[in-house]
Each structure stands twice: as structure tokens, then as C-alpha cells.
């Protein structure tokens, strides 16, 4: 089992958090939606796993490359 | 029977060469579910079509001659789906398929024939690097470097590489020279093994971190596709070649058109969100346009704001370059620029027409991009595009903001531009535009803000572009497939039998 860090690919503001700790998520699942460039941009996980920690909440600013959630996978 | 002794010797020698590195090593691989070099060739080529070159070749050093069947590289010619190819299949059970004098001669010969006679090359990897002690000392230096064009790539015929184990040296270099690279998960591509790297950098590192599939499909971009098994990797090579011509002086092959082709395009309006703030997966749009099941995406995990893929449209190979708002809103970063340039070079070198599907909010602005030379990458793309001589058609679906308008084929950067009525030709998003042009924020004066935003949106509508004849057509999105089939037919390269000028055939394979 490895820790998987899920990062925002873009700078913006957290609009919605779409998962909770303990959720089992598949590769491609949307964990968080970031508002950026007047668009709603999903932060998706590239790997399946179980959500361990969510590091952001709604209205938080995020920068490109910032870890928004950690999965156990 | 005459010549009995000679025939017997021939049979014995052949059996020894075919035994590769010995039963024990081969059994170990089999237990791991990994094919050996000859099984890979058999799986890749049409049954019974392998014409081996150098079965009886062996090491130039007499003391290891008996231990080096085929000198560790199984080479020759054969057919994939009835079309000729050259193949190098590295036999890791023979001295780690290490590079040495005789097997380098074999590689040079097969590669040379493929280049001269016009058929693809396929490299099946796993290699440990230079053979020792052959390459040691001054005499070792005198063996290498005897072919100044060894790593020259002028894209005269398509090259495909499968990375199927530890790939250092030969397999790594040839993968990096290839037009298509597939990696079996668990394989490694690196300059040196992680054990060597650990000593060099002074900390523990795994082979996966150093050169595994996640790194190469998501970070370095050197690998186009990762799969689970050897068989899947070889299928991917065959599929790649099915889109390609045999060489640069012929058009790609035409395929049968599936019966239900064109059905899906009727649903196009349900795929594009009306609100410009909402995202979607552009691959769904590509799939409704092209022949069903024909999208073969390259570098899907790298520079994901843009999708590059080989497809078929009415049975003809067509390359698609499509912004994908699902990732980074479709904003273009350095990786996306590099990915597009490599795809432009591939398609132009092998006479494959290009279609752009445009929905781009612009280039990604930020420190990381600038530090990686974003302006240079952006202009590399436009420079390459200006030298493309295959037909280029640009469809503006939604946003085409900023300078990215040019990169995505706007104006005379493509042969024809068509817009959907949803096209939005602003320089930035209207709301951002109000802020930049009028210094007004929405909270300052919401009514005035909305008026100004509406004004900017109106100026950016498709009808202005059409009136200026900067888009030659405005089409119903559901007509996209038919429009592209007709337009690509008018633009087919009749004067040269479908062959372009290949002005960027010597573009670097990594940059």
C-alpha cells in the first residue's frame, strides 16, 4: 500500500469538495472542483484508492501542484 | 543422403542458437508470465513469416562465442498483417542483450534495409547496456562510434518500440528515436539502473520512481502508452502500424468504414455544455466524429489539456489535436506544447492530415511554465505548424482565446477554418476582459459589468469572423463528420499521390 498524493493541476479557488475520508475512489474520480479561469475544473485522481485525508475546504485558494488529498492505494 | 554430416551440423548449430540463454533462464521468464525474445517475434509477426538475419552470429570474442546465440539480439524481417517490417528483439537471456560489435552490425543492417527499401522498424526491448569487457578501455572506444548516422532519425519509415523489461542503453536510445513507444508496466527506461543511480545521487530510489511507467507516461512524456502484458504491448505496436504508411513516400492505408459510422454525430449537441464555465471530455466529441472505435490516443497521461490521437475518418487515417477542457480547463502548458509538436512531426512525416478541435482558454500563465521555457515551447509549435504540408483543418467549437488561436490553426495556420455557432473568438473570457479593458470588477457595479461583458461577448461571436471571411464555414456541430470528410477530400494531396513535403522530418525526437 502506498500513499497517493492528488494534486491540483491549476491555480484557483476550491469550489466544491466531492469526497470524504474513507471513500473508495476509482482512477479518474473527481475529488475536488476548483474554480479557475472562470471555469469549474475537476481535480481527478489518476490512481484508485481510499481517501485518507482531504487537505482543502471550500473557498480555499490552491496553487498549481498543491496536494489537495491523500489516498491510500 | 549426401551431405549428411553437414546437414546434421547445421541442425545442431541452429538448435543451439534457438535455445537462446538456456532452459533455466527461459523457464524463469515463463514462470513470471513474460515472453522471451523469440516468442515476442512470433506473437508480433504473421505466422511463419519471420526471415531471420544473423541466427548464427555470435560474439566477436572467441571465449564467449558459444554463450552468445544470435549475439543476444534476434533480428530480421517479417510481415505484420501482410505488410513488411524489420524487427530487433532483444534476448535478455544472452548477456542481458548487451550491445557488442556483432549485434550492432545486425541492428545496422536490418535498420538500413528498412530505411532503403521502405518499411517500418520495430524494436522490442530489454537491454542492459554496453557489453563488458568488450567496451572497456581504448579498444572499447574503437568499437563504438563507427557509424556516424547510428542515432540519426529522418523518419523515412515509421519506428515503434516496446519496452518490455529493463531498458538501458540500446532499448532506451531506440525508444527515444521511435515514433511510438509502449511500455509494459514493470519495465524501466533510464540512462542507468536504479542501483547505479542510487550510488550517484546518494539516496535510495526505486526502479519505478527512476524510470517506471507512471514517470514516463505522466512526467517525462517519453512513453506514449502503458499496458499490463507483453501481448498487449505487441498488439499496441500492431495497431499503431495499422494507421501508418509503410514509408514516407506513400499515403497511409485505407480501411473499411464501419456500418454505423456517423450515427453518433447526431448527438453532438448533448456533449457540449451551453455554459462556458462548464467542462467536458473532448474525447467524447472526437469519438462521435471519427469511425467508431478508431481513436488511438498517444501520450494520454501527459500534457492532458490537449488530446492527440490517430483516428480514421471514412476509412482514412487522420490525426486529431483537440483541447480538452476536462484537464486544466484546456489551458496549454509546456508539456502540452511538446506533445503537440511531436504529434505534428509524426503526422506530417507520414502524410497524415490533421484536424484541430478548438476550445482553448489560452496558455497557462505562471512561474513554473516560464521557468521551463514556455515562450520557446509555444513558438516551437507555431514554427512546426508553419512547416506542416499535410492538409490542416481547424474546427473552432467554443473558446479560441489569445495567441493560442494561432497554435490551434486559426487564420492561415490551417487550410480551412470552420466554426460551430458556439465559437467564442475573444482575447480572454469576457468577464476578465471587462476587468482588463475597463478596470471594473463585478462587485463595483454589477449592472454596468454585465452590459460591458455582453458587449465583449457580442464582438467575439462567430458571425463577425464569418463576415471577415476568417472562417470559411459556420457549421451545425452535428454536420462535423460530413464536413470533415468532404473538406479533407477536396484538400487531399492529389498532385503527389497523398505525399507531403516532410519539412520537419528531422525535428528532434525529444526537445
Amino acid at each position: 500500500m502506498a500513499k497517493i498524493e492528488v494534486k491540483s493541476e491549476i491555480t484557483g479557488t476550491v469550489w466544491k469538495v466531492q469526497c470524504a475520508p474513507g471513500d473508495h475512489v476509482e482512477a479518474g474520480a473527481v475529488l475536488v472542483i476548483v474554480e479557475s479561469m472562470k471555469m469549474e475544473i475537476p481535480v481527478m485522481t489518476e490512481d484508485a484508492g481510499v481517501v485518507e485525508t482531504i487537505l482543502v475546504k471550500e473557498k480555499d485558494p490552491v496553487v498549481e501542484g498543491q496536494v489537495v488529498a491523500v489516498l491510500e492505494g | 543422403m549426401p551431405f549428411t554430416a553437414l546437414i546434421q551440423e547445421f541442425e545442431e548449430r541452429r538448435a543451439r542458437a534457438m535455445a537462446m540463454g538456456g532452459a533455466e533462464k527461459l523457464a524463469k521468464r515463463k514462470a513470471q508470465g513474460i515472453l522471451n525474445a523469440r516468442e515476442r517475434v512470433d506473437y508480433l509477426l504473421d505466422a511463419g513469416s519471420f526471415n531471420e538475419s544473423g541466427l548464427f552470429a555470435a560474439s566477436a570474442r572467441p571465449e564467449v562465442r558459444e554463450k552468445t546465440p544470435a549475439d543476444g539480439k534476434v533480428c530480421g524481417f517479417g510481415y505484420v498483417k501482410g505488410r513488411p517490417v524489420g524487427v530487433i528483439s532483444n534476448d535478455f537471456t544472452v548477456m542481458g542483450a548487451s550491445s557488442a560489435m556483432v549485434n550492432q552490425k545486425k541492428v545496422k543492417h536490418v535498420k538500413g534495409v528498412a530505411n532503403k527499401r521502405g518499411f517500418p522498424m520495430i524494436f522490442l526491448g530489454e537491454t542492459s547496456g554496453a557489453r563488458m569487457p568488450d567496451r572497456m578501455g581504448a579498444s572499447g572506444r574503437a568499437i563504438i562510434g563507427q557509424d556516424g548516422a547510428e542515432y540519426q532519425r529522418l523518419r523515412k519509415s515509421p519506428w515503434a518500440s516496446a519496452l518490455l523489461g529493463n531498458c538501458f542503453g540500446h532499448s532506451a536510445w531506440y525508444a527515444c528515436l521511435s515514433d511510438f513507444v509502449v511500455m509494459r508496466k514493470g519495465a524501466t527506461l533510464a540512462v542507468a539502473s536504479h542501483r547505479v543511480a542510487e550510488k550517484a545521487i546518494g539516496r535510495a530510489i526505486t526502479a519505478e520512481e527512476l524510470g517506471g511507467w507512471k514517470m514516463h507516461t505522466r512526467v517525462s512524456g517519453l512513453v506514449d502508452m502503458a499496458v499490463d502484458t507483453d501481448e498487449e504491448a505487441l498488439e499496441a505496436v500492431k495497431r499503431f502500424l495499422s494507421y501508418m504508411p509503410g514509408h514516407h513516400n506513400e499515403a497511409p492505408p485505407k480501411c473499411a468504414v464501419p456500418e454505423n459510422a456517423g450515427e453518433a454525430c447526431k448527438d453532438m449537441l448533448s456533449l457540449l455544455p451551453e455554459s462556458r464555465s462548464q467542462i467536458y471530455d473532448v474525447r467524447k466529441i472526437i469519438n462521435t466524429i471519427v469511425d467508431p472505435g478508431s481513436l488511438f490516443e498517444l501520450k494520454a497521461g501527459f500534457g492532458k489539456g490537449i488530446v492527440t490521437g490517430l483516428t480514421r475518418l471514412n476509412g482514412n487515417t487522420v490525426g486529431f489535436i483537440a483541447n480538452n477542457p476536462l484537464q486544466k480547463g484546456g489551458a496549454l502548458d509546456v508539456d502540452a506544447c511538446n506533445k503537440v509538436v511531436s504529434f505534428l512531426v509524426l503526422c506530417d512525416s507520414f502524410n497524415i492530415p490533421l484536424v484541430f478541435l478548438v476550445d482553448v482558454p489560452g496558455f497557462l500563465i505562471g512561474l513554473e511554465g516560464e521557468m521551463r521555457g514556455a515562450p520557446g515551447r509555444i513558438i516551437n509549435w507555431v514554427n512546426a505548424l508553419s512547416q506542416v504540408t499535410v492538409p490542416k483543418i481547424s474546427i473552432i467549437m467554443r473558446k479560441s482565446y489569445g495567441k493560442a488561436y494561432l497554435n490551434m490553426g486559426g487564420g492561415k495556420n490551417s487550410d480551412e477554418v470552420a466554426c460551430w455557432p458556439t465559437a467564442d473568438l475573444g482575447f480572454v473570457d469576457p468577464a476578465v476582459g471587462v476587468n482588463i479593458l475597463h478596470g471594473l470588477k463585478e462587485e463595483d457595479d454589477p449592472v454596468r459589468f454585465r452590459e460591458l461583458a455582453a458587449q465583449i461577448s457580442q464582438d467575439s461571436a462567430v458571425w463577425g469572423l464569418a463576415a471577415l471571411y476568417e472562417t470559411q464555414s459556420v457549421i451545425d456541430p452535428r454536420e462535423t463528420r460530413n464536413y470533415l470528410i468532404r473538406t479533407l477530400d477536396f484538400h487531399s494531396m492529389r498532385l503527389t499521390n497523398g505525399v507531403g513535403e516532410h519539412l520537419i522530418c528531422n525535428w528532434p525526437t525529444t526537445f
Side-chain angles (χ1 to χ4, degrees), chain B residues 20-21 25 58-59 61-72 93-95 131:
Chain B
M20 299 179 271
K25 285 181 183 171
S59 171
R61 283 194 293 123
E63 67 273 24
V64 291
R65 198 159 279 163
E66 292 304 314
K67 283 170 42 186
T68 48
D71 206 19
T93 67
V94 174
M95 293 198 163
R131 187 177 298 167

Side-chain angles (χ1 to χ4, degrees), chain B residues 398-459:
Chain B
R398 209 165 62 157
K399 298 168 193 174
S400 187
Y401 292 168
K403 188 179 172 60
Y405 172 76
L406 307 180
N407 293 60
M408 291 303 293
K412 291 300 162 207
N413 290 292
S414 55
D415 293 296
E416 300 279 350
V417 178
C419 288
W420 289 1
T422 44
D424 173 4
L425 290 309
F427 200 78
V428 291
D429 186 276
V432 178
V434 173
N435 191 248
I436 294 171
L437 290 175
H438 303 284
L440 189 70
K441 289 182 189 161
E442 190 166 9
E443 55 266 36
D444 298 341
D445 185 350
V447 176
R448 172 106 180 107
F449 186 90
R450 278 195 292 277
E451 280 171 15
L452 290 169
Q455 176 67 45
I456 288 175
S457 294
Q458 189 56 42
D459 291 347

Side-chain angles (χ1 to χ4, degrees), chain B residues 95-411:
Chain B
M95 293 198 163
S98 49
S99 296
M101 192 175 87
V102 173
N103 66 31
Q104 294 304 90
K105 287 172 70 175
K106 293 174 67 174
V107 171
K108 184 177 177 181
H109 178 71
V110 173
K111 213 171 65 170
V113 174
N115 251 349
K116 186 173 172 183
R117 304 303 183 193
F119 47 80
M121 272 304 301
I122 300 165
F123 301 90
L124 306 179
E126 63 202 287
T127 56
S128 56
R131 187 177 298 167
M132 299 302 170
D134 305 41
R135 293 278 180 91
M136 286 162 67
S139 62
R141 301 293 90 185
I143 292 172
I144 62 170
Q146 299 308 297
D147 174 7
E150 187 176 2
Y151 300 118
Q152 183 184 76
R153 190 74 219 286
L154 296 174
R155 298 181 175 86
K156 288 181 191 253
S157 69
W159 286 11
S161 274
L163 302 169
L164 304 171
N166 284 317
C167 297
F168 314 115
H170 173 96
S171 289
W173 310 139
Y174 278 96
C176 293
L177 286 170
S178 291
D179 302 297
F180 173 68
V181 183
V182 58
M183 181 181 249
R184 173 171 52 71
K185 291 174 187 175
T188 309
L189 162 69
V191 177
S193 79
H194 72 284
R195 289 186 198 87
V196 175
E198 276 180 345
K199 289 195 183 85
I201 63 178
R203 73 168 179 90
I205 189 165
T206 66
E208 282 295 316
E209 286 176 284
L210 186 71
W213 69 274
K214 286 187 185 176
M215 203 286 272
H216 283 306
T217 57
R218 298 174 185 175
V219 184
S220 79
L222 292 179
V223 170
D224 292 298
M225 189 177 288
V227 296
D228 292 315
T229 64
D230 278 15
E231 288 87 347
E232 284 171 19
L234 297 167
E235 289 295 344
V237 167
K238 292 189 209 189
R239 184 155 182 222
F240 170 74
L241 291 178
S242 76
Y243 293 89
M244 308 305 287
H247 57 80
H248 67 153
N249 277 334
E250 68 179 18
K254 186 167 170 83
C255 282
V257 185
E259 265 182 28
N260 58 342
E263 284 295 312
C265 212
K266 293 174 187 161
D267 299 327
M268 187 69 88
L269 297 180
S270 66
L271 296 178
L272 190 78
E274 283 204 47
S275 162
R276 64 159 78 81
S277 69
Q278 289 191 314
I279 55 91
Y280 57 92
D281 188 345
V282 80
R283 288 172 293 200
K284 289 183 183 161
I285 290 187
I286 299 174
N287 278 323
T288 64
I289 296 172
V290 301
D291 296 355
S294 73
L295 172 60
F296 186 66
E297 192 177 352
L298 300 177
K299 301 194 202 298
F302 179 74
K304 292 184 291 185
I306 201 151
V307 171
T308 55
L310 297 166
T311 72
R312 291 194 182 89
L313 201 51
N314 211 28
N316 296 309
T317 305
V318 174
F320 269 71
I321 297 175
N323 304 118
N324 197 4
L326 185 65
Q327 305 282 349
K328 298 194 179 190
L332 297 164
D333 58 11
V334 166
D335 288 348
C337 290
N338 291 346
K339 172 173 165 175
V340 169
V341 172
S342 76
F343 192 70
L344 292 174
V345 170
L346 171 72
C347 290
D348 191 62
S349 297
F350 296 111
N351 314 312
I352 298 169
L354 286 161
V355 170
F356 293 87
L357 296 180
V358 188
D359 186 356
V360 63
F363 292 103
L364 195 66
I365 312 293
L367 183 61
E368 195 211 332
E370 304 293 346
M371 287 170 68
R372 292 184 62 199
R377 309 303 171 153
I378 292 166
I379 215 69
N380 253 2
W381 174 344
V382 190
N383 183 8
L385 185 59
S386 77
Q387 298 181 61
V388 164
T389 58
V390 294
K392 297 171 276 188
I393 314 295
S394 184
I395 308 270
I396 305 178
M397 303 184 296
R398 209 165 62 157
K399 298 168 193 174
S400 187
Y401 292 168
K403 188 179 172 60
Y405 172 76
L406 307 180
N407 293 60
M408 291 303 293

